Amino acid sequence: MGKINLLTKDTFNKIAAGEVVERPASVVKELVENSIDAGATEIYVEIQSGGEELIKIVDNGEGILEEDLRNAFLPHATSKIRTADDLFSIHTMGFRGEALSSIASVSKILTRSKTKEQDGREILIEGGEIRYEKYSSMDQGTLMEIRDLFYNVPARKKFLKTPSREGAIISEIVSKISMAHPSISFFLVVDGKEMLRTYGTGNQKDVIRQVYSKKVHDHVFYFENHFDSFSIFGFIGHEEISRGSRAHETIFVNKRLVQSKVITTAAEKAFKSFATVSRFPFFVINIGIFPELIDVNIHPQKAEIKFEDDAHMFKSVFGTIHQSLREGLQETFKIQEEEPDRYEQLRQPETGPVRIDIPVDLKKDPRVMKIEEDRKALDAMRRESTLRQQDSLIREPYEALKAEDVPVVRSEEYTVNPTAKFPMPRIIGQFRATYILTEIQDELYIFDQHAAHEKINFEKYMEEIKKGHVAAQGLLIPEILDLSMDDYQLYLENKEVLKEAGFLLEEFGDRSVAIREVPIFLGKTEAAPYFHEILDNIRNLGKGSKEEVKYLRIATAACKASIKAYEELTMEEMRHLIETLRFIEEPFSCPHGRPTLVKLTEKDMQKMFRRIV
């Protein structure tokens, strides 16, 4: 008997589905792109349970002809191409003819569609088999309901993430596609809650405002450039809205959402020329290019793209964004010149004498003098109050370091292992308000005050999380954060984890949250930057991370609120900082891997001064 088997229709359909339908977001992307190709101006998307239970897409496009409705679900059936030559000049989003067939083979799909000239039709397909077909009354357009995705391929379900995470991926896909098509109105509902609504104004910046936040909208620079065979335009964000992940980097080529290392690297290098932090920029890059100069057929889901001339594309993107950032930052610091005062020549009236009112010296009035003295006294009181407040703010981060008679190491947090990891040095002083200089016998020890305090806070914070009683403080005025769609879904997924870590947040309108409590060691710092970094750290963990790992990432981000460089410390504060550092579990490196102290021996010093060779 031969070893070569001819696969059944059901088997190769499911294999094809594995190529195209990786997860619910793949289904949403394919169907939304079909709606765009159909000329829709309004697209409604609804999902339940991360798309596993229901995916519903409704559009007002041109619809599917009655005679084409059955054929649309056959393998390799497409209206986008006719011959192989058409693959090299593709102007539509979809083109392979695999999407509907693949989706129908692993789900229960109900389709209703109506064209302008014909009546509406309805067809139900389960697992690739047509159950019925009939007439259906509806407005022009197409409705598709996909239920029980992967119901007949249970092995595929094991590789899906949680419903909330799958919903976040779908939200990100829809939001980014909406930015590529600002003339189309998108409406996204996730588990009964409206997550996105755009209005089809045709302005991409308006969609950025809806997808992300007003802060992002207000901190982007527009760029545009035209070349012989392609054009580049879009928005690049200021350093203030940069993030710790590439979640806010978006690339469209001929309005198709793609990934491209060439474009991404060019944009990031241009951004880093003007950035002082090692973070990823926000950008939306649109490239319009002749279809003959690109290959969109190198990836089963059309997620990647290949250019005919990568070097020229890199140079063009880098130069365009670099120039935009330079001009945008220059405009930010531009000061408008004051116009000279314009005086109108007064003319003496033709009749009657000119009357001039002589001002009265009010300073001689004792009542006026009393008011003036009271005002000066009030100003002096305000200045004194401001100085006291500033002094309090400067000293507040070090309150935890001060002690009277009881050393910090005797506190309950460190009674488990009170062994000192190194002897207490003699403090010489502070260099550049950043480094603490000490000596032990004939060796010089240099402590980084920020890294040391950061590690102390980190270990104390992690211990509090393990014991389940994080010391938190309520904010007098809650901080309101407008989150992007993917950040909001990530927050919902990790709400309990954040609460256990001392962050009490409440929903505050659509995709906004109010930070009401933060870990107490954060002090009076702004919580928003740390919260964004925490979300980025959790996002970068990927699938299947345990809560302990998430706590580690939360603590790593939050502990940046420790003593900063260039802040003066008293001898008592330096002594207690080092004394506490000696007794923690891992005192020699900060949570980010940097050393907390370095050692120089007398021999090292002699070599520096060439006293010995």
Side-chain angles (χ1 to χ4, degrees), residues 398-449:
Y398 317 132
E399 291 295 331
L401 301 176
K402 294 181 179 179
E404 299 297 331
D405 299 322
V406 182
V408 178
V409 297
R410 295 179 185 175
S411 61
E412 60 178 0
E413 289 85 354
Y414 300 104
T415 54
V416 178
N417 186 9
T419 305
K421 307 303 184 296
F422 56 88
M424 182 65 191
R426 186 182 74 85
I427 298 175
I428 300 173
Q430 192 181 23
F431 174 68
R432 292 286 292 169
T434 302
Y435 304 102
I436 301 174
L437 306 181
T438 67
E439 65 175 352
I440 301 176
Q441 297 178 2
D442 60 346
E443 296 175 335
L444 176 68
Y445 286 79
I446 305 174
F447 292 81
D448 184 328
Q449 65 189 34

Side-chain angles (χ1 to χ4, degrees), residues 40-44 181-187 197-201:
T41 58
E42 297 178 3
I43 300 177
Y44 173 88
H181 302 272
S183 298
I184 301 177
S185 174
F186 286 84
F187 189 53
R197 184 193 291 267
T198 66
Y199 300 97
T201 62

Side-chain angles (χ1 to χ4, degrees), residues 345-373:
Q345 180 65 41
L346 297 178
R347 296 182 180 180
Q348 182 177 351
E350 296 179 358
T351 58
V354 177
R355 300 183 180 277
I356 302 176
D357 293 332
I358 301 176
V360 181
D361 188 3
L362 298 178
K363 290 185 178 180
K364 295 181 180 180
D365 191 328
R367 292 172 299 176
V368 176
M369 295 177 66
K370 181 67 170 61
I371 293 173
E372 187 69 19
E373 290 175 0

Side-chain angles (χ1 to χ4, degrees), residues 5-284:
N5 301 317
L6 295 178
L7 299 178
T8 63
K9 176 183 176 182
D10 179 65
T11 304
F12 71 68
N13 273 343
K14 289 179 180 178
I15 292 174
E19 295 272 332
V20 179
V21 188
E22 179 185 4
R23 57 174 8 109
S26 306
V27 176
V28 174
K29 181 176 182 292
E30 293 287 351
L31 296 183
V32 168
E33 288 180 347
N34 284 346
S35 297
I36 294 171
D37 288 339
T41 58
E42 297 178 3
I43 300 177
Y44 173 88
V45 181
E46 180 181 355
I47 64 170
Q48 293 179 9
S49 300
E52 292 182 50
E53 183 179 328
L54 171 68
I55 296 174
K56 184 177 180 180
I57 313 288
V58 184
D59 66 62
N60 63 345
E62 61 184 13
I64 304 174
L65 293 171
E66 179 181 345
E67 55 269 26
D68 290 336
L69 194 57
R70 280 174 170 264
N71 294 336
F73 294 92
L74 295 176
H76 313 300
T78 178
S79 61
K80 316 299 171 56
I81 60 174
R82 291 185 178 274
T83 66
D85 293 336
D86 295 337
L87 289 172
F88 302 100
S89 59
I90 296 171
H91 297 271
T92 55
M93 299 291 104
F95 59 90
R96 290 184 178 167
E98 295 178 352
L100 292 182
S101 174
S102 300
I103 295 169
S105 66
V106 293
S107 67
K108 302 171 184 177
I109 178 169
L110 172 69
T111 303
R112 297 192 187 102
S113 190
K114 181 185 182 304
T115 62
K116 186 176 182 180
E117 298 82 7
Q118 297 179 342
D119 294 332
R121 296 285 292 178
E122 177 179 323
I123 186 171
L124 175 65
I125 301 177
E126 294 183 2
E129 299 294 331
I130 298 177
R131 297 305 181 191
Y132 70 80
E133 184 180 1
K134 64 179 183 179
Y135 286 101
S136 178
S137 60
M138 62 176 296
D139 294 331
Q140 179 180 336
T142 302
L143 175 147
M144 287 197 175
E145 287 186 1
I146 293 88
R147 296 184 181 272
D148 300 331
L149 187 63
F150 301 134
Y151 79 100
N152 54 354
V153 193
R156 188 69 54 81
K157 283 192 173 185
K158 295 191 299 184
F159 293 93
L160 296 180
K161 298 184 180 181
T162 62
S164 60
R165 190 66 197 130
E166 292 293 342
I169 297 172
I170 292 174
S171 299
E172 182 181 5
I173 290 289
V174 175
S175 64
K176 291 194 172 183
I177 291 177
S178 69
M179 288 190 291
H181 302 272
S183 298
I184 301 177
S185 174
F186 286 84
F187 189 53
L188 173 64
V189 177
V190 178
D191 294 325
K193 182 175 182 180
E194 178 184 330
M195 296 299 296
L196 174 68
R197 184 193 291 267
T198 66
Y199 300 97
T201 62
N203 188 339
Q204 192 175 60
K205 196 172 183 180
D206 292 341
V207 185
I208 291 176
R209 171 68 177 87
Q210 298 298 324
V211 171
Y212 294 102
S213 64
K214 184 179 184 298
K215 182 178 180 180
V216 172
H217 173 274
D218 295 341
H219 289 83
V220 293
F221 303 125
Y222 179 75
F223 57 84
E224 182 176 356
N225 209 346
H226 302 277
F227 303 89
D228 292 339
S229 56
F230 61 90
S231 298
I232 303 172
F233 69 96
F235 298 90
I236 181 75
H238 190 271
E239 180 181 329
E240 187 172 342
I241 59 173
S242 60
R243 297 295 295 270
S245 69
R246 290 190 171 95
H248 290 177
E249 297 182 352
T250 309
I251 302 171
F252 301 112
V253 176
N254 291 346
K255 296 189 176 182
R256 184 191 302 277
L257 178 63
V258 298
Q259 299 171 2
S260 172
K261 291 183 180 179
V262 173
I263 298 176
T264 299
T265 305
E268 290 178 355
K269 285 186 176 294
F271 172 78
K272 288 178 180 178
S273 301
F274 300 92
T276 58
V277 293
S278 180
R279 293 162 66 87
F280 299 103
F282 170 94
F283 63 70
V284 179

Side-chain angles (χ1 to χ4, degrees), residues 509-543:
D510 295 337
R511 301 204 327 262
S512 297
V513 296
I515 303 179
R516 298 194 176 276
E517 290 184 8
V518 297
I520 197 167
F521 69 85
L522 287 179
K524 292 186 177 180
T525 185
E526 292 185 5
Y530 298 109
F531 184 72
H532 280 303
E533 185 158 355
I534 286 169
L535 290 180
D536 287 332
N537 281 357
I538 295 176
R539 179 185 290 108
N540 292 335
L541 286 174
K543 178 183 176 183

